[in-house]
Amino acid sequence: MVLGRHPRTAAWAVAAVLILVPAAAGCGDDEDPETPPSPPPATSAPVIPQTDAPAEPVAAKAEIEKNWKTFFDATATTEEKVKVLQNGEALRPVLIAFGSDPNAKKSSAKVTDVKFTSATEADVTYDLLVGGQPALPDSKGTSVLQDKVWKVSAKTLCALVKLSGNATAPGC
């Protein structure tokens, strides 16, 4: 197979690697997306309205772009990727398996848009590249602020796992 002729096939192969790793069970978010959030308890303290962006949005966007590049960079170490993935330590085995796949070694990502949905979350649009060619353009993911670092969300990793066609991946 010539990669330049079939970049989408290579992207599917990269995503399929994630399904084969039993550790993928730990990649789900703790929250159930179908359950609406509970209203805050009534207090006599004044309610501070939540903003839809962090205090320094330009710096946050730059950090998101840098960390997404690191996460998808084939030359980045597993240690570097753990630091920029939500719950990265728990997902280390997935990252190790992902990094050993030949197609993953040709993958990268380019962030094309960041929209903050809160002070601690952002929607990210990115192009998944294989061999420098767009394999999955305009992909959607999320970034979360965890431990004062803007990280690729575990939900985004799970979306890549599901991309392989196995919607029953444990934890996703």
Side-chain angles (χ1 to χ4, degrees), residues 64-152:
I64 288 169
E65 290 172 352
K66 176 181 169 276
N67 290 347
W68 277 65
K69 183 176 181 179
T70 298
F71 181 76
F72 285 100
D73 183 351
T75 65
T77 66
T78 299
E79 204 57 44
E80 291 169 315
K81 292 179 182 197
V82 163
K83 291 177 183 177
V84 298
L85 176 64
Q86 179 186 23
N87 305 325
E89 194 58 51
L91 297 170
R92 180 184 293 274
V94 176
L95 295 174
I96 290 170
F98 184 67
S100 66
D101 180 80
N103 287 312
K105 292 178 182 178
K106 299 173 187 169
S107 298
S108 60
K110 178 183 177 189
V111 173
T112 57
D113 192 31
V114 175
K115 290 189 176 159
F116 293 101
T117 57
S118 75
T120 59
E121 295 183 9
D123 289 336
V124 178
T125 303
Y126 65 102
D127 294 338
L128 182 62
L129 309 171
V130 177
Q133 299 298 313
L136 297 172
D138 296 322
S139 296
K140 305 294 183 194
T142 56
S143 193
V144 296
L145 186 63
Q146 182 182 49
D147 301 325
K148 298 181 183 180
V149 175
W150 282 98
K151 299 182 179 186
V152 175

Side-chain angles (χ1 to χ4, degrees), residues 7-25:
R8 187 168 295 271
T9 302
W12 288 102
V14 169
V17 169
L18 298 175
I19 284 298
L20 301 176
V21 180

